[in-house]
Amino acid sequence: MKNVNETVEESAEVVSISRTEYNEYLSLKTQNAELSRQVEWFLEQLRLARQKRFGSSSEQSKYDVWEQPNLFNEAEVLADEAVPKSELTDVKKHVRKKRRETKESLPENLPVETTEHFLPEEERTCPVCSDELQIIGKTVQRRLKLIPASAVILEDIYYTYACRTCEITGTNVPVIRTPQRNNVIKGSFASPEAVAHIITQKFVMGAPLYRQEQAFLRQGITLSRQTLSNWVLKSTEDWLEPIYRELHRRLCTRQVLHGDETTLQVLREPGKSAQSKSYMWLYRTSGDTGQPIILYEYQPDRKARRSAEFLKGFSGYLHADGYSGYHSLPAQITVVGCWAHARRKLDEALKALPAKDREGSLALRGKRYCDTLFNIEEQLAAYPAKKRYEKRQELAKPVLDAFSAWLSAQKTAPKSAIGKAIYYIQEQWPWLINYLLDGRLELSNNRAERSIKPFVIDRKNFLFANTPRGAQGSAVMFSLIETAKENGLDPYRFLSYVFDAAPNIDIGDPKQLERMLPWNAPETCKVPPDLGERSQHEKAK
């Protein structure tokens, strides 16, 4: 029989071994948890990468909610929305929404070439009585004929006059010459229409100069890229930059603006390698004006002072994304955050989850708060600014308060997709709620993103700018083109008008410069009304 001392020693040995094993167990458990978090993070990145490469770019999904009460009623949230019978079409074994048809039409202002077709004379005899057949009606068939860009030579002849009587009787013969109009480029055979065509082909249709050079050559016209480039830059510096400066001055007198920026590669930037990033900044008016302005500005970097310098003298609200550079602007500029960016973070967190885990997830619940805010804005779209401000206090502010409390209560892994989304929204919160300050403000900065998109798309064609001069010239041209489009003008016709009129006025006189602003362009520069309405509808979608 063991004595008490032996029993105590054995117990101590057992306890000692158990503690060692327990410590190893805790260590392995910690390592396993860390590995699990790393694996889940990699899986999130994999799912996001697949979504970005193969999935739809739209942020809408079957989880999107557009009714405010649904925020708290999940059964109704997830139920299929009823579709009116008038919008349904029977298709064999299932029901499909009726497709919205687009009605094609031929513009009424196009010239018409009429060709009449008659029966041959030998066939105009009645097969019954052999008398001559008479016309009793006609069938009109209309077709659209497209003619590739053609070139003509414009030859202006200015006559010189003299008095024959004075020539015979006098010693001083007066000679009077017909006044000549100034050309877009002095000493060049470029016409306003030619320069406008080259610019719109490059900056609207995305055709680089080397492709245009080849197209001209196929028509038997030899125009080098250097010549085309010189025409574009010279006409821009002489006639478009004064208009750009006036638009810039007017932009800074507005009270609500939008800003954004994107990268650009400039090969010969002093003090920088060809591979380094430069930036194209964008500033534009909001929806509170009937004379919209869209301006691009080239800068070699993304420093915060670039925006402050461009907006010198501006006092008001600036819609922007979450870039911290905007948050250091002068005190007279109030930055308004973008809820589309906040919603996008939650949408990415939702798509990073396995499909089976998305239902009821934190990402989905957070996204529904954002959906509710957007739904409220849709309801208030037709309201005047003052009324919209009041309704936002009534409808949107309680949702924002609830959302803020919900965000604060969440405990998530900081490096997870949902953790990053929650951190981003909380960090941006002081600027996100600023849209409540004025009824003219918007919930998102989508207006600026839509305006910078043409440059982003066109950048895929020309890839880079050669020099800072060329980059800033591109900024001016994009500015005039996008401002013209926003004012319902056809860019080619507007530029043709400017290049024809500007050389023949005092461009330094503010009153004469006023004529060159897009909203003062003649009716001939405008897009036909039906096409303009369709363009605005597509833009709204």
Side-chain angles (χ1 to χ4, degrees), residues 267-332:
L267 299 184
R268 299 180 183 177
E269 179 70 58
K272 296 176 64 176
S273 66
Q275 293 75 25
S276 59
K277 290 181 180 179
S278 296
Y279 284 85
M280 189 68 78
W281 296 70
L282 174 134
Y283 307 89
R284 63 153 298 153
T285 52
S286 193
D288 62 335
T289 176
Q291 297 178 346
I293 298 172
I294 300 174
L295 298 184
Y296 291 80
E297 186 202 26
Y298 164 74
Q299 289 292 352
D301 53 52
R302 200 189 185 195
K303 294 178 180 178
R305 64 183 177 88
R306 302 299 185 187
S307 187
E309 290 169 355
F310 189 87
L311 296 175
K312 186 177 180 180
F314 168 68
S315 178
Y317 300 98
L318 176 68
H319 292 81
D321 56 25
Y323 172 47
S324 60
Y326 294 113
H327 301 156
S328 59
L329 287 170
Q332 70 268 20

Side-chain angles (χ1 to χ4, degrees), residues 20 63 86 108 123 132 170 176 182 191 292 305 316 366 385 415 453:
T20 302
Y63 302 104
S86 60
E108 295 298 327
E123 296 181 17
E132 184 180 359
I176 301 175
N182 296 322
S191 69
R305 64 183 177 88
K415 293 185 179 180
K453 190 175 181 179

Side-chain angles (χ1 to χ4, degrees), residues 146-162:
L146 296 177
I147 304 173
S150 57
V152 297
I153 296 175
L154 300 177
E155 190 174 77
D156 295 301
I157 301 176
Y158 296 92
Y159 289 98
T160 303
Y161 297 81

Side-chain angles (χ1 to χ4, degrees), residues 328-345:
S328 59
L329 287 170
Q332 70 268 20
I333 300 177
T334 301
V335 175
V336 182
C338 176
W339 276 98
H341 280 74
R343 184 181 186 275
R344 194 170 302 152
K345 298 290 183 182

Side-chain angles (χ1 to χ4, degrees), residues 98-104:
K98 187 190 298 181
R99 179 177 297 176
R100 181 171 295 174
E101 297 181 358
T102 300
K103 185 178 179 181
E104 288 81 11

